[in-house]
């Protein structure tokens, strides 16, 4: 473990979180978004990778954001190892550019989308979401991205398309963890089409106003805040539109433990532990886990006909 003495902390070490908070407060104080673009340039002097032009989006939470060092230092990204510190330590070998995402399957307009084309498809938004890991911890993360539906509309799904399958990069040269058969690589995940089109579901390209750090799934990932974290696939290289429910990497590995839906649900326990409570990273006492991670008002109607115990 690295211990940093107070004397070692230089005043120039302003974290992206502090910059982000300052920018948001300034935007609020100024009472207008028109100023945001101009401020972005000044902020850029501190942090080179600033994503300019993102604006506050809907569905925000007022809960305290998890500090930058935890959001980027305590991660699950098995392609870089299974310890929480492994992704931050090893994800430097990931090359997020050049990068293309292949859109394939049951769409009228399949194709390879360059990451920069993808970034320009819709206005970027700041979305502060609660995130709940299936292991029982949670964070509040200010993502930057846009609704995945913006891309879906663009590629025009066929009437037969009912599910989406996401696939993560599978390159041993960039991802040392792929040497270990923890999962049947590549990492894949899936969503039902209506879930993928839900306005909460993001195609995320950043956090805290910065380009997505490698350990968080650079350069582009999915974010589905009412489901357990593993549904939010990182560093994706393809999105396939299919007719049948895809089998995710976690379902293959442990079908009794990980279902396709994996909606956050305090009343349906994991095969080996309770899901009633969670520990917000940075807090000591556990808090109660909320149905659909607190997003029930927005998403519950999608599951009105579903037995949540059976379809966990
Ligand atoms: N490709 C890939 N995506 C992944 C994972 C992974 O191991 N590989 N872990 C998942 C899990 S279990 C969680 S909790 C979240 C963590 O995202 P974060 O590190 O950005 O908070 O990523 C998810 N996406
Ligand atoms: Mo997770």
């Amino acid at each position: 473990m690295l211990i940093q003495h107070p004397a070692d902390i230089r005043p120039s070490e302003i974290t992206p979180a502090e910059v982000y908070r300052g920018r948001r407060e300034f935007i609020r104080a100024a009472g207008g978004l028109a100023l945001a673009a101009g401020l972005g340039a000044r902020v850029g002097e501190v942090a080179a990778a600033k994503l300019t032009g993102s604006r506050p989006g809907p569905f925000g939470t007022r809960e305290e954001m998890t500090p930058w060092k935890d959001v980027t230092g305590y991660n699950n990204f098995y392609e870089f190892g299974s310890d929480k510190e492994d992704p931050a330590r090893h994800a430097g070998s990931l090359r997020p550019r050049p990068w293309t995402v292949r859109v394939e399957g049951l769409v009228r307009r399949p194709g390879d989308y360059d990451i920069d084309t993808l970034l320009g498809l819709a206005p970027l938004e700041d979305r502060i979401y609660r995130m709940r890991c299936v292991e029982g911890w949670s964070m509040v993360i200010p993502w930057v991205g846009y609704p995945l539906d913006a891309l879906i509309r663009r590629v025009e799904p066929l009437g037969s398309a009912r599910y989406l399958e996401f696939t993560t990069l599978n390159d041993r040269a960039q991802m040392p963890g792929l040497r270990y058969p923890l999962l049947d690589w590549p990492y894949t995940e899936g969503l039902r089409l209506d879930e993928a089109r839900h306005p909460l579901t993001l195609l995320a390209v950043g956090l805290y106003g910065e380009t997505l750090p490698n350990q968080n799934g650079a350069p582009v990932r999915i974010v589905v805040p009412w489901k357990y974290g593993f549904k939010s696939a990182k560093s994706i290289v393809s999105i396939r539109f299919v007719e049948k429910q895809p089998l995710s990497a976690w379902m293959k590995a442990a079908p009794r433990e990980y279902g396709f839906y994996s909606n956050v649900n305090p009343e349906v326990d994991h095969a080996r532990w309770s899901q009633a409570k969670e520990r917000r990273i940075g807090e000591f006492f556990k808090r109660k886990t909320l149905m659909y991670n607190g997003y029930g008002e927005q998403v519950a109607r999608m599951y009105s006909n579903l037995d949540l115990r059976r379809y966990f």
Side-chain angles (χ1 to χ4, degrees), residues 70-72 74-81 84 87 131-135 137 139 141 143 167-169 175 183 185-189 207 212-213 215-217 221-223 228-236 250:
D70 295 323
V71 173
T72 63
Y74 187 92
N75 305 96
N76 273 339
F77 199 165
Y78 278 23
E79 287 86 337
F80 296 103
K84 304 293 176 230
M131 303 297 295
R132 169 64 154 79
C133 178
V134 74
E135 295 162 2
W137 48 272
M139 297 192 187
I141 303 182
W143 299 108
T167 305
T168 295
L169 180 72
M175 300 172 139
L183 289 169
W185 311 110
Y187 192 101
T188 60
E189 258 307 334
L207 57 83
L212 210 52
Q215 58 268 38
N216 294 93
R221 69 175 296 173
I222 302 300
V223 172
Y228 293 116
F230 65 86
K231 295 296 293 181
S232 298
K234 294 177 168 184
S235 305
I236 59 168
W250 281 110

Side-chain angles (χ1 to χ4, degrees), residues 33-78:
L33 299 173
L35 288 156
L39 188 66
R42 207 184 324 147
V43 161
E45 292 167 20
V46 187
K50 177 63 54 198
L51 286 167
T52 52
S54 59
R55 47 179 197 170
F59 313 119
T61 168
R62 291 189 167 278
E63 287 171 66
E64 204 176 319
M65 292 178 279
T66 301
W68 167 268
K69 73 164 171 40
D70 295 323
V71 173
T72 63
Y74 187 92
N75 305 96
N76 273 339
F77 199 165
Y78 278 23

Side-chain angles (χ1 to χ4, degrees), residues 48-277:
K50 177 63 54 198
L51 286 167
T52 52
S54 59
R55 47 179 197 170
F59 313 119
T61 168
R62 291 189 167 278
E63 287 171 66
E64 204 176 319
M65 292 178 279
T66 301
W68 167 268
K69 73 164 171 40
D70 295 323
V71 173
T72 63
Y74 187 92
N75 305 96
N76 273 339
F77 199 165
Y78 278 23
E79 287 86 337
F80 296 103
S82 56
D83 287 348
K84 304 293 176 230
E85 295 78 24
D86 280 340
R89 210 181 285 141
H90 301 303
S93 50
L94 177 72
R95 293 188 310 272
R97 267 186 176 68
W99 191 279
T100 51
V101 176
R102 173 159 293 179
V103 180
E104 54 195 337
L106 305 171
V107 291
R108 218 156 272 131
R109 300 172 62 182
D112 286 342
Y113 283 78
D114 180 76
I115 182 64
D116 292 309
T117 308
L118 216 52
L119 267 158
L121 277 190
L124 296 180
E125 297 174 20
D126 289 315
R127 296 275 191 104
I128 305 177
Y129 282 170
R130 281 182 296 275
M131 303 297 295
R132 169 64 154 79
C133 178
V134 74
E135 295 162 2
W137 48 272
S138 64
M139 297 192 187
V140 176
I141 303 182
W143 299 108
V144 182
Y146 57 75
L148 175 61
D149 190 42
L151 172 61
I152 295 177
R153 263 185 280 128
R154 170 93 171 200
V155 302
E156 300 176 24
L158 302 176
S160 51
R162 292 190 55 221
Y163 295 90
L164 274 69
E165 182 182 47
F166 308 98
T167 305
T168 295
L169 180 72
N170 187 14
D171 179 3
R172 283 190 187 195
Q174 296 183 61
M175 300 172 139
L178 292 173
R179 273 177 292 162
Y180 308 103
L182 293 172
L183 289 169
D184 181 10
W185 311 110
Y187 192 101
T188 60
E189 258 307 334
L191 292 172
R192 216 168 59 186
L193 183 61
D194 60 331
E195 299 177 319
R197 304 198 79 155
H198 192 280
L200 277 172
T201 302
L202 290 188
L203 196 69
V205 295
L207 57 83
Y208 270 120
E210 307 284 319
T211 298
L212 210 52
N214 288 355
Q215 58 268 38
N216 294 93
V220 60
R221 69 175 296 173
I222 302 300
V223 172
V224 198
W226 71 94
K227 293 177 181 284
Y228 293 116
F230 65 86
K231 295 296 293 181
S232 298
K234 294 177 168 184
S235 305
I236 59 168
V237 293
S238 102
I239 303 178
R240 181 191 287 273
F241 290 71
V242 295
E243 194 171 340
K244 292 208 183 81
Q245 182 176 294
L247 204 60
S248 68
W250 281 110
M251 290 167 79
K252 270 189 235 169
R256 283 192 342 106
E257 301 187 14
Y258 306 104
F260 178 79
Y261 284 94
S262 293
N263 292 316
V264 174
N265 188 340
E267 282 156 29
V268 176
D269 291 340
H270 182 272
R272 289 180 282 139
W273 57 81
S274 163
Q275 292 292 26
K277 290 185 178 175

